[in-house]
Amino acid sequence: MTSPPGVHRRTPLVLLFGQGVLGLVVGVVWWSLTRHPATWMVGEPVVTSTSVYPIARDGVFTVLTGLVGFAAALVVVTRGGEPHRPLLLFASALGGAFAGALIAAGLGTSLPPSGDAAVAHVTLRAWVAVLVQPFVVSVVVAVVTLVQALLEWTRTP
């Protein structure tokens, strides 16, 4: 089954702006999950202290943005072999991944504390976590492309 002709031209824009919109969703989900981290995020109740909250917040952010990056990489891999510009598709996926992660971090840190008991905002301590989403896009696309190239190479006589 073939796609309508305009779909392939819109894929880079969907990757670029779609990840930005998903950054809004990820920011709100990250904020809601890490306002009061659950024990499954920070460990047993006996060892839970406020000193491990930043690690849990950064970890949740990393997992959420990594999942979005993986989904974007799957779109690149499935659409990249078609006769449109694969480098444009990849570049828009990387740009969208970086923008989406920045939007998520900015929104999550700008939302207010959860109440009077919470004295601090949800913050991202390790800002390098913003690079996880584009890194996941790059690694997944590179690995899948390498495996496809190796399979083609071994099949040729």
Side-chain angles (χ1 to χ4, degrees), residues 10-134:
R10 288 190 300 237
T11 305
L13 292 174
V14 168
L15 280 170
L16 184 63
F17 295 113
Q19 289 182 88
V21 171
L22 280 176
L24 295 171
V25 174
V26 168
V28 171
V29 169
W30 174 55
W31 174 78
S32 67
L33 283 175
T34 58
R35 288 181 298 173
H36 297 293
T39 55
W40 61 268
M41 278 192 245
V42 292
E44 296 293 324
V46 177
V47 295
T48 301
S49 70
T50 56
S51 64
V52 286
Y53 285 180
I55 297 168
R57 288 177 178 149
D58 291 355
V60 170
F61 182 83
T62 301
V63 169
L64 290 174
T65 56
L67 290 173
V68 174
F70 186 76
L74 290 179
V75 172
V76 170
V77 168
T78 57
R79 300 282 185 181
E82 296 173 5
H84 63 289
R85 298 168 283 217
L87 288 178
L88 175 65
L89 190 65
F90 182 64
S92 64
L94 285 179
F98 187 64
L102 281 176
I103 290 170
L107 180 63
T109 57
S110 66
L111 290 172
S114 58
D116 294 335
V119 294
H121 291 284
V122 171
T123 57
L124 189 62
R125 297 288 173 117
W127 279 92
V128 73
V130 172
L131 298 175
V132 168
Q133 189 172 344

